[in-house]
Amino acid sequence: MSRKIMLIPVGSSVGLTTVSMGLVRAIEEQGIKLNFFKPVAQPRRGDKGEERSTAIIAHHASVTPITPFTLDYVERMISNDNTDELLEDIIERFENNSEQDAVTVIEGLVTTRHHPYAERLNLEISRALDADIVFVAVPGNDDTVDINHRLEIVVDTYGGHKSRKVVGCIFNKVNAPFDEHGRLRADIGVVDKPEHDEARSAALKNLPIFKKGLSLLGNVDWSAELVSPRAIDVAKHLNATSLNEGDMAKRRLSSVTFCGREIHNMTHALKPGALLVLSGDRSDVFVSCCLAALNGTKLGALLLTGGYEPDENIAALCSQAMETGLPVMLVNTNTWQTAQNLHTFNQEVPVDDSQRIEKVMVHTAESLDAEWVTSLTDKVSRQRKLSPSAFRYYLTNRARQVNKRIVLPEGNEPRTVVAASICASRGLARPVLLGDDTEIRRIAEQQGVVLSDGVEILSPEQVRGEYVEGLVALRGHKGVTDVVANELLQDNVTLGTMMLQQDHVDGLVSGAVNTTANTIRPALQLIKTAESASLVSSVFFMLLPDQVLVYGDCAINPDPNAQQLADIAIQSATSAQMFGIEPRVAMISYSTGTSGAGSDVEKVREATAIAQSMRPDLLIDGPLQYDAAAIESVGKSKAPNSPVAGKANVFVFPDLNTGNTTYKAVQRSFDLVCIGPMLQGMRKPVNDLSRGALVDDIVFTIALTAIQAKGNS
């Protein structure tokens, strides 16, 4: 059975693409088959290339969208009175390119002065495709009477309340900063984020139209973070020259300040994410901004106007500030003209801004009614593969449920501070930052985050003495005395490990600064392996575009013997199950089946037999070459009777050299998100980070550590 949901905008500028992205993500997270179709491309001003919604879904979801018809073709068909033929073409394209037994998200057209036919064409397309209707509206500054009136009119257009095809409404941009004329403010990064208006939200939920049968399917709050562009986006819009590239492709702009005052009157504007616009000959302001950057404040960018480049002596003086990644750009227009140009900046998310797109999709998906989204999956086929979106959803949803306390020994590391703030705000964990309170809060301010009460800051000096006795009891046989224990506990990783050993926290995440050895050694000495485990190993979760694979062991054991390799296979399968992946384990070798010989192949063959005898309930097979394990056609050819070949999702490598090389080659070649290494076989969860970890990597590692803690309890 298939379901078709068509999103119909009620008015213009409702953020239809945003809602489409969120609905696609919410359905993806259910792990079911999915189609996306925007029947008619509707390019915005300045758009080139692919249709925006279709391109975003193609690049950021595990679905291949159906190609839309061009606007020129559609308008030509309508003007020639060939609408019926156009609808037949739309149906034919949908039927020929859609997956059967799936949920389909269909995005309608927005009515504008250039496209006055959109409302009528939406109605005809919805009927032609037999789609259920979900309206997308923006409350704006209108009172509830006017909002209800608008919805009543559009519901009547689609058959009224008695129509079984009219399902509900999603409100977008709730509590957004509208001006007195009811228009969304166009300035980049509104400085003062509007407070969430509970009374307003409650009034929207109680509109008379919802008592007549129309359902409220989502309230998507406006978020300043989700409209913050990158510095490079503004540079492209203004056709600016780059004087210092820095982190232009990454820095986010959350506010704009025009620097025309004396510097002592504008120090408050030197804050993270600020776009500071100044005449290029204002050396005093330029130097002050560079000083702020040197002090650790991540300004968004400097925009110099008037075509004035900084004096070469000033540039030399500020060269170290440039090395912090501060973007500096130059325009030839004066400050007033530049302000006018900034006012016309298009705040829609660019197709190539992956980080912002991901945040928009997650935020919108979480704002939709969960029961309604789940109802869409009734009698619809599940995907055989677990998609990256479904995996991330599983991680975050399970982490919220278990609500574990996770210690972060690198408490003054900037990425870790930001990740702790995110985890606390999203309810993924109760993070504990080890470090000085004043320093950590200063770093948080520099990173532009506010640490809520959900983030606990613990001073090592205040608690170190509590763990001396316990450490001596554990390591006294190795010559550890009170004095030695106190010295060992100067290391925050050791201190955090003792907190975990004493059950004062549920898990530990480190490695953004410390080496793998520094993270793991205290755990091996103090936590030890679980009773059921003969060794500690690791897995990586490889988030391929269409599925999640588990790789083990790629970080710990250099050359495991057959018994150890069998244990790694079973541990990796258990980890896969813990995170919602039904394991099909391939024991990787350079030979498939009985086609090859040699000590390395024999080790894998023996390990496979041991693992199968230990866990006959698991699908484990080997030896298998990687292509035979991963590619269905190759698997059928090389191992036709294997229950795993061509369908493997857990790959167990014969040694560390093979595993580490393979995971890095796959990750770097395809620019994949890779979560791990996650340690297996410990009594309590300790996980290591890559020293190049991004904030999102740390967030997901904290989440999976929390889930591990629940599994170990």
Side-chain angles (χ1 to χ4, degrees):
M1 179 181 175
S2 61
R3 296 286 301 274
K4 304 185 193 80
I5 304 296
M6 185 164 180
L7 299 174
I8 303 291
V10 182
S12 60
S13 301
V14 298
L16 193 63
T17 297
T18 295
V19 176
S20 293
M21 291 159 58
L23 182 55
V24 166
R25 171 54 55 85
I27 295 170
E28 265 193 312
E29 289 170 348
Q30 302 298 314
I32 61 173
K33 294 170 69 175
L34 175 65
N35 299 308
F36 178 80
F37 187 27
K38 184 172 178 65
V40 182
Q42 193 172 20
R44 282 76 158 177
R45 184 186 70 250
D47 277 0
K48 297 177 182 178
E50 295 177 278
E51 191 278 323
R52 183 182 294 262
S53 297
T54 303
I56 288 175
I57 298 299
H59 298 307
H60 299 279
S62 54
V63 60
T64 302
I66 301 169
T67 304
F69 288 91
T70 65
L71 194 62
D72 287 344
Y73 172 76
V74 170
E75 290 182 339
R76 186 167 64 251
M77 294 291 282
I78 292 174
S79 64
N80 291 333
D81 199 23
N82 289 329
T83 302
D84 288 343
E85 185 178 338
L86 170 64
L87 294 173
E88 290 172 12
D89 289 345
I90 290 173
I91 294 170
E92 181 181 18
R93 180 166 294 185
F94 174 76
E95 294 294 341
N96 290 341
N97 295 280
S98 62
E99 279 216 59
Q100 300 302 307
D101 198 16
V103 174
T104 301
V105 176
I106 304 166
E107 184 180 311
L109 282 160
V110 178
T111 301
T112 69
R113 61 190 180 90
H114 298 296
H115 313 125
Y117 53 81
E119 187 173 342
R120 177 173 58 86
L121 188 57
N122 281 339
L123 176 61
E124 292 174 336
I125 290 173
S126 70
R127 289 173 175 169
L129 295 176
D130 192 30
D132 293 338
I133 304 301
V134 172
F135 301 112
V136 179
V138 172
N141 289 336
D142 292 347
D143 61 32
T144 54
V145 174
D146 288 338
I147 297 169
N148 194 77
H149 182 60
R150 275 194 287 141
L151 290 178
E152 286 283 10
I153 291 172
V154 74
V155 166
D156 287 343
T157 301
Y158 284 84
H161 292 284
K162 294 182 179 179
S163 172
R164 288 181 294 177
K165 289 297 180 182
V166 176
V167 176
C169 172
I170 297 171
F171 283 127
N172 193 22
K173 303 181 184 179
V174 179
N175 297 313
F178 291 95
D179 63 21
E180 64 273 17
H181 302 293
R183 296 173 301 203
L184 187 66
R185 287 175 57 181
D187 40 332
I188 298 170
V190 178
V191 176
D192 297 319
K193 178 182 177 180
E195 293 293 327
H196 178 73
D197 190 339
E198 290 290 349
R200 173 72 163 169
S201 297
L204 292 175
K205 292 177 182 177
N206 290 305
L207 291 177
I209 195 168
F210 295 134
K211 297 177 182 178
K212 295 181 180 180
L214 190 71
S215 297
L216 178 59
L217 304 177
N219 249 337
V220 185
D221 271 325
W222 184 88
S223 170
E225 180 185 12
L226 302 184
V227 296
S228 296
R230 302 165 298 184
I232 195 170
D233 300 324
V234 173
K236 289 178 180 177
H237 172 71
L238 298 174
N239 196 25
T241 301
S242 173
L243 300 183
N244 189 62
E245 188 77 18
D247 297 329
M248 191 173 287
K250 299 178 181 178
R251 293 271 175 117
R252 297 266 166 204
L253 307 179
S254 56
S255 64
V256 181
T257 297
F258 292 89
C259 305
R261 291 162 285 175
E262 292 291 331
I263 189 62
H264 64 273
N265 288 322
M266 50 170 294
T267 53
H268 65 279
L270 304 181
K271 59 186 181 181
L275 173 63
L276 300 165
V277 186
L278 59 143
S279 178
D281 58 359
R282 285 292 303 270
S283 297
D284 58 332
V285 179
F286 185 80
V287 171
S288 299
C289 294
C290 291
L291 181 60
L294 283 171
N295 282 334
T297 302
K298 281 197 172 182
L299 302 173
L302 303 186
L303 175 57
L304 310 184
T305 65
Y308 302 114
E309 294 191 32
D311 176 82
E312 61 181 19
N313 294 320
I314 296 295
L317 179 67
C318 297
S319 60
Q320 284 188 321
M322 300 300 103
E323 294 172 5
T324 67
L326 176 64
V328 181
M329 42 194 168
L330 175 71
V331 291
N332 292 322
T333 52
N334 63 35
T335 302
W336 184 83
Q337 292 168 324
T338 304
Q340 295 299 306
N341 292 337
L342 283 171
H343 191 72
T344 63
F345 178 76
N346 183 355
Q347 293 197 37
E348 291 182 326
V349 60
V351 173
D352 66 343
D353 191 349
S354 299
Q355 184 184 50
R356 187 172 158 199
I357 287 171
E358 179 66 22
K359 289 182 177 180
V360 169
M361 294 180 86
V362 170
H363 174 76
T364 308
E366 291 179 346
S367 301
L368 300 179
D369 182 84
E371 289 187 12
W372 172 63
V373 173
T374 302
S375 74
L376 298 177
T377 70
D378 292 345
K379 300 179 182 179
V380 175
S381 293
R382 296 271 161 186
Q383 296 275 29
R384 182 172 60 84
K385 301 173 181 177
L386 182 68
S387 71
S389 299
F391 179 73
R392 286 191 292 260
Y393 172 74
Y394 180 90
L395 274 184
T396 55
N397 191 46
R398 285 285 293 135
R400 287 192 192 97
Q401 292 174 7
V402 299
N403 191 31
K404 294 296 183 179
R405 191 170 182 240
I406 307 298
V407 65
L408 308 171
E410 300 160 328
N412 58 358
E413 198 282 319
R415 291 164 295 167
T416 302
V417 173
V418 176
S421 175
I422 293 171
C423 286
S425 64
R426 296 180 63 188
L428 304 182
R430 291 172 286 146
V432 180
L433 293 170
L434 291 183
D436 178 72
D437 185 279
T438 302
E439 182 185 7
I440 290 174
R441 294 194 183 279
R442 178 183 61 80
I443 291 170
E445 184 178 355
Q446 289 176 345
Q447 298 300 311
V449 300
V450 177
L451 296 181
S452 66
D453 294 340
V455 178
E456 182 181 351
I457 300 175
L458 201 58
S459 170
E461 286 74 18
Q462 294 179 359
V463 300
R464 191 174 290 124
E466 300 175 18
Y467 298 99
V468 171
E469 183 180 345
L471 183 54
V472 171
L474 289 169
R475 302 291 291 171
H477 66 287
K478 293 291 187 179
V480 174
T481 63
D482 286 3
V483 174
V484 175
N486 190 68
E487 184 64 28
L488 290 172
L489 289 167
Q490 298 296 318
D491 171 44
N492 281 356
V493 176
T494 302
L495 176 59
T497 306
M498 277 303 300
M499 294 173 65
L500 179 59
Q501 198 277 335
Q502 298 286 318
D503 290 329
H504 295 164
V505 293
D506 301 301
L508 180 147
V509 173
S510 180
V513 176
N514 287 280
T515 65
T516 297
N518 287 344
T519 296
I520 295 175
R521 188 186 304 109
L524 292 175
Q525 293 173 343
L526 304 174
I527 303 296
K528 313 247 185 220
T529 57
E531 292 181 4
S532 59
S534 63
L535 80 171
V536 173
S537 64
S538 71
V539 289
F540 283 89
F541 294 96
M542 310 294 292
L543 275 59
L544 273 64
D546 62 342
Q547 65 175 320
V548 177
L549 302 180
V550 178
Y551 281 7
D553 170 16
C554 305
I556 304 296
N557 297 284
D559 188 18
N561 59 35
Q563 179 62 59
Q564 291 171 328
L565 196 59
D567 289 342
I568 292 170
I570 292 170
Q571 288 180 352
S572 300
T574 302
S575 292
Q577 289 175 321
M578 185 184 297
F579 292 92
I581 300 170
E582 190 60 39
R584 295 182 293 276
V585 184
M587 308 294 285
I588 301 301
S589 176
Y590 61 76
S591 172
T592 295
T594 59
S595 64
S599 59
D600 292 338
V601 179
E602 288 304 320
K603 180 179 79 169
V604 175
R605 185 174 290 118
E606 182 183 351
T608 302
I610 294 171
Q612 289 171 337
S613 65
M614 292 173 66
R615 289 292 302 275
D617 57 308
L618 293 174
L619 290 178
I620 303 175
D621 198 14
L624 291 168
Q625 291 164 284
Y626 192 97
D627 58 350
I631 302 172
E632 193 164 357
S633 58
V634 179
K636 287 180 179 179
S637 172
K638 291 188 174 183
N641 298 318
S642 170
V644 171
K647 298 176 285 188
N649 53 18
V650 178
F651 293 74
V652 178
F653 297 99
D655 52 57
L656 186 58
N657 182 55
T658 307
N660 193 270
T661 301
T662 303
Y663 111 75
K664 285 189 175 178
V666 173
Q667 180 191 26
R668 299 302 179 189
S669 298
F670 299 100
D671 193 24
L672 301 179
V673 174
C674 176
I675 301 175
M678 185 188 87
L679 300 189
Q680 311 171 128
M682 300 289 295
R683 288 183 179 176
K684 301 174 188 294
V686 173
N687 283 310
D688 180 41
L689 298 165
S690 163
R691 274 169 282 176
L694 302 176
V695 169
D696 282 350
D697 298 331
I698 301 174
V699 169
F700 284 122
T701 302
I702 292 171
L704 68 84
T705 303
I707 297 170
Q708 269 188 297
K710 175 62 177 178
N712 290 348
S713 61

